[in-house]
Amino acid sequence: LEFNLRKLKLEEKGNNPRNLAFALINIGIVYRYQEEYKEALKYYYKSDSVIMQNNIEDAKYFIYMNLGDIYDRLDNADSAFSYFNKSLIISNSLKNDDYIGNSMTGLGHTYFKQGNASFSLLYYRTAIEHLMAADNDEVLCEAALGLAKLYQQQLHKNDSAVYYASLSQQLAEKGGFMTWQLNAANFLSNHYKTVNNIDSAYVYLSKVQVLNDSVNSKEKIRELQLMSSNENFRQLEIEENRKIAKKERKQ
């Protein structure tokens, strides 16, 4: 975050709107990973303004996807749908499997939250095809688990739900995506508990406990990093104020 903010200061003094737009997006992404969604949204909108004013075509897909992602996390389905749909139009024109798969995964989430099971099913399935073609296993974990939840909660097909949750879990394990491993293991543990399959529920519950320790350790590190970052900013502000005061005294 600190380095991205320094880069932003440099880009604000320069004359390259594209670099400025991506610097703002990168700051938003850091805040998104810190789960500070309102802060992320603020920087995404600043980037969006630069992109639209300067018609930076190759940045439009990224800003639409990131805005859709934030609104999805904030459970604002209408705004999420609007931005995911804009990103899909661009990704289709580029014929990029990775971009298409990401956009369709987002739309799958949106239709799921709106209770539109048939459209959610269509978009998740199509997303999975494109993500497999692009070898994007991380987003594939997300799409597969989204499809598992859809089959369980709205389509009431438990066998299909288990299949896609297991797929998500296996891919996450293979790729080392701990958060998706935890999410899939949680889903499968709760499912097997519901259908009274105690042995399978215990296997996945054990995985949940192990993964929880790992993810929580990462959370503690993240909190320490955030504290460290805040202190660095405080020191930078003190130094900046000291320079301003010195300049004023000299004047």
Side-chain angles (χ1 to χ4, degrees):
L1 184 61
E2 183 180 336
F3 279 113
N4 276 299
L5 285 167
R6 286 183 184 180
K7 178 172 171 56
L8 176 62
K9 284 185 179 180
L10 292 172
E11 295 301 344
E12 285 172 340
K13 294 174 184 175
N15 191 29
N16 190 323
R18 184 183 182 278
N19 285 355
L20 176 60
F22 277 105
L24 288 161
I25 288 176
N26 286 337
I27 293 168
I29 289 169
V30 176
Y31 277 121
R32 177 262 196 194
Y33 277 116
Q34 299 281 23
E35 298 179 6
E36 296 179 51
Y37 301 138
K38 296 289 177 69
E39 280 298 305
L41 197 58
K42 184 169 75 177
Y43 283 93
Y44 287 157
Y45 270 124
K46 286 180 181 178
S47 180
D48 183 53
S49 178
V50 173
I51 291 165
M52 296 309 151
Q53 284 174 14
N54 296 277
N55 197 29
I56 307 168
E57 290 294 335
D58 65 331
K60 288 180 181 178
Y61 168 81
F62 297 102
I63 194 61
Y64 291 150
M65 266 304 300
N66 281 298
L67 281 165
D69 175 62
I70 285 295
Y71 278 119
D72 179 53
R73 291 170 188 276
L74 291 169
D75 289 324
N76 184 332
D78 290 342
S79 294
F81 175 83
S82 174
Y83 285 112
F84 282 139
N85 201 46
K86 287 179 180 180
S87 75
L88 181 60
I89 292 167
I90 294 173
S91 59
N92 278 329
S93 70
L94 295 171
K95 297 180 181 178
N96 184 309
D97 282 314
D98 191 21
Y99 292 1
I100 294 168
N102 274 276
S103 298
M104 287 195 158
T105 299
L107 286 165
H109 295 336
T110 305
Y111 281 119
F112 174 77
K113 288 179 179 178
Q114 291 174 340
N116 190 332
S118 58
F119 271 69
S120 182
L121 180 65
L122 173 65
Y123 278 94
Y124 277 139
R125 280 181 169 173
T126 312
I128 286 170
E129 290 174 15
H130 286 283
L131 292 166
M132 283 181 168
D135 289 323
N136 187 338
D137 283 351
E138 186 169 8
V139 181
L140 185 53
C141 291
E142 181 181 346
L145 191 58
L147 191 50
K149 291 176 182 177
L150 176 68
Y151 273 120
Q152 183 194 60
Q153 296 177 29
Q154 296 183 16
L155 298 174
H156 310 295
K157 294 183 178 180
N158 283 334
D159 289 346
S160 296
V162 169
Y163 172 81
Y164 283 103
S166 299
L167 174 64
S168 179
Q169 203 270 333
Q170 289 161 16
L171 287 167
E173 209 166 77
K174 179 185 170 186
F177 311 126
M178 281 196 295
T179 301
W180 289 114
Q181 286 182 63
L182 176 59
N183 291 342
N186 250 323
F187 178 94
L188 289 163
S189 173
N190 290 329
H191 166 75
Y192 284 121
K193 194 190 301 180
T194 302
V195 298
N196 208 29
N197 186 334
I198 303 305
D199 291 342
S200 295
Y202 177 76
V203 168
Y204 285 104
L205 183 59
S206 300
K207 288 186 178 185
V208 168
Q209 290 171 341
V210 172
L211 288 163
N212 256 326
D213 290 338
S214 300
V215 172
N216 287 337
S217 295
K218 288 178 74 176
E219 280 295 303
K220 288 174 185 175
I221 292 167
R222 185 185 74 83
E223 287 169 11
L224 289 170
Q225 287 173 333
L226 188 57
M227 288 167 62
S228 173
S229 178
N230 288 337
E231 176 58 19
N232 286 340
F233 281 129
R234 194 178 72 84
Q235 293 298 334
L236 286 169
E237 284 178 3
I238 290 170
E239 178 64 18
E240 188 65 25
N241 289 334
R242 187 187 66 77
K243 288 178 181 177
I244 291 168
K246 184 177 178 181
K247 187 178 179 180
E248 287 175 350
R249 284 197 301 274
K250 188 176 179 181
Q251 288 173 343

